[in-house]
Amino acid sequence: MSPPSPPTDARDPVQGFSPAGQLLHLLTGYWVSQAIHTAAELGLADHLGRTARPIEALAQATGAEPGALYRLMRALASVGVFSEPQPRAFALTPIGALLQTEAPGSLRAFARLQGDDWHWRSWGALSASVKSGRTAVTELFGAHNNFALLAERPASAAIFNEAMSGYAAQVHAAVAEAYDFSSARLVVDVGGGHGTLLARVLEQAPDARGILLDLPDVVVDAPRIFAEYGVADRATAIGGDFFQVVPAGGDTYLLAT
């Protein structure tokens, strides 16, 4: 017995896609992700501003082939990452500005992470991982987990750490504002990166102390972050492996993804 056909008016209420259109949109989402990754790798946003720049100048600045770069820029303009206010000339949009290296809350590193070899191939191994129950990095690289793999790949580790910082900057303010931490006394941030979320939480909870736990090479920047937020006297950074042990005694534990 064949499954029933979906109703002809079953359209996405926002974008108006048919069911087939919605599914095709989801299936091809990685095309856009990879295009954004390529733009981030080339540093295109750093060469653009509000004023349109010709494709030939962009190609020369980034070492790209003009024809191929033009097709990439047209694709990204179609989804709002860049704009083409003049023929064969492109400018930044508010979305594209977040790919600038020095932009507040920059997501350039996060875009680079999505297409980094180990990350890209890991998603490609999802079927094998689901069948075996083992992580993709174990299937592909024989690593115990992502962190063990990154310990062997310093360049990828640097991209990963910067990506997490940029991603975190976009969500930490919202988390600190959404939850009431005023009654907390000891906040333990597990895998908290450079400590920005913990610092924001301690801002909201002036009577609380905080402990940050992450890998030793990650927490080295935490004292600077704590000082910037004025919580250095109430926050401690500990280098360690949260798969092995987590600081005890906290009444509030944070585990942000």
Side-chain angles (χ1 to χ4, degrees), residues 125-136 139:
L126 182 60
S127 294
S129 183
V130 170
K131 290 178 181 179
S132 70
R134 300 194 303 172
T135 66
E139 290 284 349

Side-chain angles (χ1 to χ4, degrees), residues 3-200:
S5 300
T8 57
D9 61 347
R11 294 180 175 271
D12 180 276
V14 177
Q15 299 186 16
F17 291 160
S18 67
Q22 293 176 52
L23 184 56
L24 288 169
H25 180 69
L26 295 171
L27 286 170
T28 58
Y30 75 96
W31 297 359
V32 177
S33 296
Q34 189 67 354
I36 295 173
H37 161 77
T38 301
E41 282 289 295
L42 292 172
L44 286 166
D46 289 336
H47 297 285
L48 289 173
R50 299 294 182 183
T51 302
R53 190 171 186 187
I55 193 68
E56 289 76 15
L58 281 175
Q60 184 175 11
T62 59
E65 196 280 321
L69 182 61
Y70 178 60
R71 291 189 290 276
L72 174 70
M73 296 299 290
R74 284 291 300 272
L76 290 172
S78 75
V79 293
V81 177
F82 301 122
S83 65
E84 189 180 9
Q86 303 166 20
R88 296 182 64 82
F90 295 87
L92 282 179
T93 66
I95 295 174
L98 287 169
L99 293 175
Q100 290 184 308
T101 305
E102 301 300 328
S106 172
L107 291 174
R108 181 189 176 192
F110 193 79
R112 294 182 67 200
L113 171 65
Q114 303 315 306
D116 200 9
D117 177 68
W118 74 274
H119 195 268
W120 179 256
R121 290 174 60 193
S122 293
W123 279 104
L126 182 60
S127 294
S129 183
V130 170
K131 290 178 181 179
S132 70
R134 300 194 303 172
T135 66
V137 293
T138 300
E139 290 284 349
L140 292 173
F141 310 108
H144 178 61
N145 55 43
N146 291 352
F147 302 105
L149 178 66
L150 290 173
E152 302 172 355
R153 300 184 175 208
S156 289
I159 293 173
F160 177 85
N161 291 334
E162 188 177 350
M164 292 301 99
S165 294
Y167 173 80
Q170 299 296 331
V171 300
H172 285 173
V175 171
E177 293 174 5
Y179 292 90
D180 182 6
F181 293 98
S182 60
S183 63
R185 291 298 174 264
L186 179 58
V187 181
V188 180
D189 192 352
V190 181
H194 300 306
T196 307
L197 176 57
L198 179 60
R200 287 188 176 274

Side-chain angles (χ1 to χ4, degrees), residues 181-256:
F181 293 98
S182 60
S183 63
R185 291 298 174 264
L186 179 58
V187 181
V188 180
D189 192 352
V190 181
H194 300 306
T196 307
L197 176 57
L198 179 60
R200 287 188 176 274
V201 169
L202 293 180
E203 273 191 320
Q204 303 292 327
D207 295 326
R209 295 180 299 109
I211 298 175
L212 170 70
L213 173 68
D214 212 314
L215 296 174
D217 61 332
V218 175
V219 300
V220 292
D221 286 335
R224 176 180 59 82
I225 299 295
F226 295 153
E228 288 178 1
Y229 282 86
V231 299
D233 59 331
R234 296 186 287 123
T236 302
I238 298 176
D241 182 352
F242 59 68
F243 289 111
Q244 301 298 322
V245 64
V246 173
D251 56 6
T252 302
Y253 283 79
L254 306 175
L255 182 61

